[in-house]
Amino acid sequence: MEELLKQIAEYISTKSIEEQVELINQCKLELHNISPMKFEPVDCVLWVKNETVEANDYNPNSVAPPEMKLLEISIMENGYTQPVVTFQREGNREVVDGFHRTRVSKESGPVKDRVHGFVPVVTINHHKEDKGDRIASTIRHNRARGKHKIDSMSDIVVDLKRRNWSDEKIAKQLGMDADEVLRLSQISGLIEMFEDQEFSQAWDLEVE
């Protein structure tokens, strides 16, 4: 076995950077398929070209410029310690968690050069690929770090309700209690209730 691994390593080392990454990814995927931990996304971290990883349209998290710079420094000093969580569709991937790590891989010249334009990713389980499930996964990642925006969260709760998610399911999947789901539903719900209404001019009282 050891000799076989040496032969594989020697063969891969003769290839270009991109070919090396592709061959190593193939090896990881083959091992992942027979792994007793194959249902855990972190069991298989792949390196993919950063342009193939796209932002989602529902992340209620934001990072200020100083924090983005700190993230860049952290990656330069410590390397990528966490992969980007992604959902795969056709040739591209959509970010579930790790949008700012992906941004650094694209926007930071030093980071981009060091990792040759790649970014480390894991892929969420196939049975969780519905958009509602992906939204819930993003929110759970954000809330676990204490980072989410209330106004965006209310939009997301209303969107999940439109997808026929019950208040109980929303509460469980997003780590909320029933009162929080109700409050967030009302924030967007009240706005939505009146957004298509036409309001008349204010009445002027006639004084006799």
Side-chain angles (χ1 to χ4, degrees):
M1 181 58 141
E2 185 177 347
E3 185 60 33
L4 177 59
L5 290 174
K6 285 182 179 179
Q7 291 176 11
I8 294 173
E10 287 175 4
Y11 172 74
I12 292 176
S13 67
T14 64
K15 304 299 181 180
S16 67
I17 294 293
E18 292 197 4
E19 289 174 323
Q20 288 180 26
V21 172
E22 178 59 30
L23 287 169
I24 291 171
N25 281 346
Q26 288 179 20
C27 290
K28 288 181 178 180
L29 286 168
E30 288 297 327
L31 293 172
H32 179 60
N33 286 334
I34 61 170
S35 170
M37 304 299 180
K38 65 182 178 181
F39 296 111
E40 306 299 328
V42 76
D43 186 62
C44 188
V45 179
L46 304 176
W47 286 92
V48 301
K49 278 295 189 180
N50 59 34
E51 64 262 26
T52 67
V53 182
E54 304 171 342
N56 61 55
D57 58 4
Y58 50 79
N59 190 0
N61 182 13
S62 62
V63 173
E67 292 173 313
M68 280 293 295
K69 185 63 179 177
L70 182 60
L71 178 57
E72 178 187 20
I73 294 171
S74 175
I75 291 173
M76 286 301 298
E77 292 295 322
N78 305 318
Y80 271 97
T81 59
Q82 296 182 61
V84 176
V85 182
T86 65
F87 156 69
Q88 191 166 13
R89 57 180 183 187
E90 299 175 356
N92 289 346
R93 292 172 177 268
E94 180 182 281
V95 174
V96 173
D97 180 68
F99 168 66
H100 300 101
R101 295 193 293 280
T102 305
R103 274 190 59 188
V104 170
S105 78
K106 295 180 179 184
E107 299 175 13
S108 168
V111 171
K112 186 175 182 180
D113 290 342
R114 197 179 74 181
V115 296
H116 308 285
F118 288 86
V119 64
V121 302
V122 296
T123 308
I124 60 174
N125 296 328
H126 296 298
H127 65 286
K128 293 293 185 183
E129 291 183 351
D130 176 75
K131 185 173 183 180
D133 289 318
R134 303 199 313 270
I135 291 172
S137 180
T138 296
I139 302 307
R140 286 193 295 269
H141 280 86
N142 288 347
R143 287 173 67 87
R145 291 191 299 269
K147 295 181 178 181
H148 58 281
K149 294 163 62 178
I150 293 300
D151 53 347
S152 298
M153 282 289 290
S154 66
D155 292 338
I156 285 170
V157 167
V158 171
D159 184 31
L160 291 175
K161 289 174 76 73
R162 288 200 196 100
R163 295 173 185 277
N164 298 319
W165 281 38
S166 67
D167 287 359
E168 292 77 12
K169 182 176 180 179
I170 293 171
K172 179 180 179 180
Q173 294 296 324
L174 303 191
M176 300 177 178
D177 57 35
D179 288 342
E180 187 175 5
V181 173
L182 178 60
R183 287 197 305 273
L184 291 171
S185 300
Q186 290 173 336
I187 290 172
S188 288
L190 289 173
I191 295 172
E192 195 174 72
M193 185 182 298
F194 295 107
E195 64 182 0
D196 295 326
Q197 300 295 321
E198 293 184 4
F199 294 92
S200 61
Q201 297 293 324
W203 291 352
D204 291 324
L205 293 178
E206 295 182 3
V207 179
E208 294 182 358

